């Protein structure tokens, strides 16, 4: 018998339900992850108990009826929240995203049959072992992603499964069984039926997965259905000495070399989104993409709003897209000017994105480009360590000081303050109160 190691708390939950007469199993992702020798993120249980029975049995722990229509009850137990769901079947799916009817009181096998992929349709019990009616274990061994049942029907029921499928490829480096792959391609355009609240979390997991490049390359049609703005990148040539890949191949290369965080992977995916729109070819046949960071930032903003992305993540990604092509000179004044625009918390991400961008460019020019980024990074560290002034807040004079000197209020005051800041960053004036007042008085007398 296959033996999996369940956490003690999971064993206790199962035992309590079983002692009350309800068959109960660990199910889905946690069983799959154990068989892959990965640590599951969460442990889900399925049980013959009905929602009210689960609520009553764990009343002392303050159970929460999380998904009423699905019957899921979340039980806070031993410091973790466990989802316990009654065995259920589903039918209907008129809208391609929700079942019209959910029926409780069925068998474990029927419950497993409603799950998306064979590798996700296994259950485990400490005494009864692995329950695997659809050959999930065999598929996992063969590294195959296969729908439970007829792929077209299963993707038609819930379009999110299309994206989940590609997410599992990207996570585990699976290949797709031919019928499942054909249905995935055929139904890719229907992914837009998915509610954005369900779509974005799956998309982020996919983008941050280790095999994202391969998965997105094979199923670019699915990604382009979600982000039609990217479709024009495919096979779009970049005839410049800086590039050796078309825009889409370059984007995938940048994505796969970016650190796997949502902000960086999204920024990598979208950094060149406006390149096809901005493309021109000069008399020598060389491609130019003038203005693509600005237009790209606008497009990224619109895309992330459409996907109902949080404001914090959206703003971060939009800034990274806007700044990705900034080629700051490795001099203190230039680096200080960059730091006047980019908060320290974002600098590290910007350098990571720029390095990944270089990794997707022509190999012969990479060393000099990487050297520039490293030099700028070293200078930025120096600026932080020496607390060199890069913002009006750090300037040794205030607006009130300048008013006292006779500056007028309004825009003139702002202009004067910024002129002083620039002179400080350019090392023409020291960030010292007396020196700044002298300089300001001089400029005021000249105007
Ligand atoms: P993760 O490791 O990211 O949690 P997971 O497979 O556990 O992956 P969950 O969203 O936690 O994903 O879902 C738990 C289980 O519920 C899945 O393993 C699968 O059996 C089933 N499931 C989830 N979403 C769907 C869906 N859209 N259609 C069918 N079955 C699903
Ligand atoms: Mg899970």
């Amino acid at each position: 018998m296959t033996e999996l190691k369940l956490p003690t708390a999971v064993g206790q939950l199962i035992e309590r339900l079983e002692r009350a007469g309800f068959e109960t199993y660990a199910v889905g992702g946690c069983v799959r992850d154990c068989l892959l020798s990965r640590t599951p993120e969460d442990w889900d249980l399925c049980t013959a108990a009905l929602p009210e029975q689960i609520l009553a049995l764990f009343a002392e722990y303050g159970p929460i009826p999380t998904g009423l229509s699905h019957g899921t009850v979340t039980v806070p137990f031993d410091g973790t929240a466990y989802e316990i769901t009654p065995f259920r079947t589903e039918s209907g799916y008129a809208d391609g995203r929700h079942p019209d009817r959910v029926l409780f009181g069925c068998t474990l096998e029927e419950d497993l049959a409603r799950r998306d992929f064979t590798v996700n349709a296994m259950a485990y019990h400490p005494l009864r072992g692995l329950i695997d009616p659809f050959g999930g274990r065999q598929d996992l061994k063969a590294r195959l992603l296969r729908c439970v049942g007829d792929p077209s029907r299963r993707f038609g029921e819930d379009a999110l499964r299309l994206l989940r499928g590609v997410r599992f490829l990207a996570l585990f480096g699976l290949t797709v069984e031919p019928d499942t792959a054909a249905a995935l391609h055929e139904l890719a355009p229907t992914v837009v039926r998915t509610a954005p609240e369900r779509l974005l979390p799956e998309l982020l997991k996919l983008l941050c997965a280790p095999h994202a490049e391969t998965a997105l390359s094979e199923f670019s049609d699915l990604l382009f259905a979600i982000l039609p703005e990217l479709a024009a990148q495919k096979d779009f040539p970049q005839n410049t000495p800086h590039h050796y890949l078309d825009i889409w191949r370059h984007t995938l290369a940048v994505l796969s070399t970016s650190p796997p965080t949502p902000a960086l992977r999204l920024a990598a995916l979208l950094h060149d989104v406006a390149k096809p729109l901005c493309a021109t070819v000069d008399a020598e046949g060389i491609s130019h993409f003038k203005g693509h960071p600005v237009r790209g930032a606008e497009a990224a903003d619109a895309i992330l709003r459409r996907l109902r992305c949080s404001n914090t993540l959206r703003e971060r990604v939009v800034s990274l897209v806007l700044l990705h092509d900034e080629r700051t000179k490795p001099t203190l004044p230039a680096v200080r000017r960059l730091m006047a625009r980019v908060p320290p918390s974002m600098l590290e991400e910007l350098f990571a994105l720029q390095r990944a961008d270089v990794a997707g460019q022509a190999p012969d020019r990479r060393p000099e480009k990487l050297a520039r980024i490293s030099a700028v990074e070293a200078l930025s560290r120096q600026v932080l360590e020496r607390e060199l002034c890069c913002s009006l807040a750090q300037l040794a004079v205030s607006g009130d000081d300048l008013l006292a000197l006779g500056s007028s209020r309004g825009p003139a005051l702002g202009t004067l303050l910024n002129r002083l800041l620039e002179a400080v960053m350019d090392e023409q004036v020291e960030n010292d109160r007396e020196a700044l007042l002298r300089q300001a008085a001089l400029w005021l007398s000249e105007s």
Side-chain angles (χ1 to χ4, degrees):
M1 188 179 96
T2 308
E3 276 200 39
L4 304 184
K5 208 171 147 17
L6 302 186
T8 314
V10 174
Q12 288 169 342
L13 289 170
I14 294 179
E15 204 184 313
R16 186 163 182 150
L17 280 151
E18 296 245 334
R19 258 195 278 122
F22 305 113
E23 220 187 308
T24 302
Y25 297 83
V27 71
C30 59
V31 178
R32 174 202 67 215
D33 290 347
C34 284
L35 291 172
L36 285 168
S37 306
R38 295 166 62 104
T39 313
E41 261 177 46
D42 40 37
W43 287 82
D44 297 328
L45 301 184
C46 63
T47 179
L50 295 173
E52 315 79 68
Q53 293 168 320
I54 307 171
L55 287 167
L57 196 59
F58 294 102
E60 70 206 85
Y61 298 101
I64 308 149
T66 341
L68 264 191
S69 59
H70 291 159
T72 301
V73 175
T74 302
V75 179
F77 185 78
D78 202 24
T80 309
Y82 293 95
E83 292 201 342
I84 306 181
T85 307
F87 297 152
R88 65 168 206 254
T89 50
E90 300 171 340
S91 62
Y93 303 100
D95 60 358
R97 56 199 232 188
H98 299 111
D100 300 334
R101 266 188 321 146
V102 171
L103 287 177
F104 301 126
C106 63
T107 63
L108 170 67
E109 268 73 10
E110 287 169 313
D111 180 275
L112 293 174
R114 70 160 173 92
R115 294 173 183 270
D116 45 11
F117 302 103
T118 60
V119 296
N120 288 345
M122 292 180 275
Y124 181 77
H125 185 280
L127 301 174
R128 297 189 283 275
L130 189 71
I131 314 293
D132 177 20
F134 304 103
R137 180 168 208 186
Q138 188 60 37
D139 282 344
L140 210 51
K141 243 192 213 142
R143 306 204 82 74
L144 265 186
L145 186 87
R146 183 198 307 268
C147 281
V148 173
D150 175 58
S152 300
R153 193 169 68 80
R154 302 311 311 283
F155 289 133
E157 289 170 350
D158 177 2
L160 181 69
R161 290 175 190 155
L162 298 157
L163 190 55
R164 279 177 59 85
V166 180
R167 194 252 285 189
F168 292 120
L169 295 192
L171 262 180
F172 307 126
L174 310 176
T175 42
V176 192
E177 173 278 322
D179 287 346
T180 300
L184 237 164
H185 286 300
E186 189 196 328
L187 293 172
T190 66
V191 73
V192 293
R193 289 180 186 165
T194 313
E197 305 74 61
R198 295 176 80 204
L199 194 130
L200 184 64
E202 280 296 339
L203 180 63
L204 292 179
K205 284 187 193 175
L206 159 55
L207 294 180
C208 294
H211 306 279
E213 182 175 10
T214 321
L216 287 176
S217 170
E218 192 177 344
F219 291 96
S220 57
D221 46 357
L222 184 75
L223 185 76
F224 296 159
I226 300 168
L227 301 172
E229 295 88 344
L230 286 174
Q233 294 195 338
K234 200 157 190 185
D235 302 321
F236 201 107
Q238 308 196 80
N239 186 21
T240 94
H242 294 285
H243 283 283
Y244 73 124
L245 299 169
D246 66 50
I247 306 180
W248 174 235
R249 292 273 142 221
H250 164 76
T251 292
L252 286 179
V254 178
L255 180 105
S256 69
T257 26
S258 297
T261 66
L264 276 168
R265 290 284 167 111
L266 271 177
L269 183 70
L270 298 175
H271 79 287
D272 278 349
V273 61
K275 260 192 172 176
L277 289 175
C278 298
T280 54
V281 179
D282 68 19
E284 274 82 55
I286 305 291
S287 314
H288 299 278
F289 305 98
K290 285 228 165 62
H292 80 276
V294 173
R295 290 190 70 182
E298 286 163 12
D301 190 69
I303 287 169
L304 295 173
R305 283 177 194 275
R306 187 176 79 222
L307 295 179
R308 308 270 197 283
C309 181
S310 72
N311 289 344
T312 341
L313 180 58
R314 174 175 51 78
E315 284 163 14
R316 225 174 165 87
V317 173
V318 169
S319 301
L320 287 168
V321 172
L322 181 67
L323 293 162
H324 80 270
D325 209 24
E326 207 62 35
R327 271 161 259 157
T328 310
K329 278 206 200 103
T331 65
L332 256 185
V335 171
R336 289 170 78 173
R337 277 164 188 272
L338 175 73
M339 292 171 77
R341 297 170 60 202
V342 186
S345 60
M346 259 193 59
L347 267 185
E348 209 177 306
E349 276 179 339
L350 178 60
F351 296 138
L353 178 62
Q354 291 189 333
R355 287 197 170 99
D357 198 0
V358 170
Q361 296 177 8
D364 55 327
R365 301 211 169 183
R366 281 181 209 157
E368 63 179 278
K369 292 177 180 174
L370 292 173
R372 182 196 63 76
I373 298 169
S374 295
V376 170
E377 190 179 35
L379 286 168
S380 74
R381 255 187 251 120
Q382 223 188 87
V383 170
L384 291 175
E385 274 159 25
R386 291 168 59 194
E387 294 177 22
L388 295 179
C389 167
C390 304
S391 67
L392 291 181
Q394 290 168 290
L395 206 59
V397 290
S398 67
D400 285 340
D401 294 326
L402 301 185
L403 288 174
L405 269 186
S407 164
S408 47
R409 288 183 185 277
L413 182 60
T415 310
L416 188 55
L417 277 167
N418 277 308
R419 200 168 162 197
L420 287 173
L421 174 62
E422 294 199 359
V424 166
M425 292 195 295
D426 288 341
E427 295 172 331
Q428 288 161 0
V429 184
E430 233 182 288
N431 189 26
D432 164 82
R433 194 178 140 78
E434 293 311 315
L436 289 170
L437 289 176
R438 252 196 321 276
Q439 183 63 60
L442 181 68
W443 282 336
L444 283 170
S445 72
E446 285 169 0
S447 63

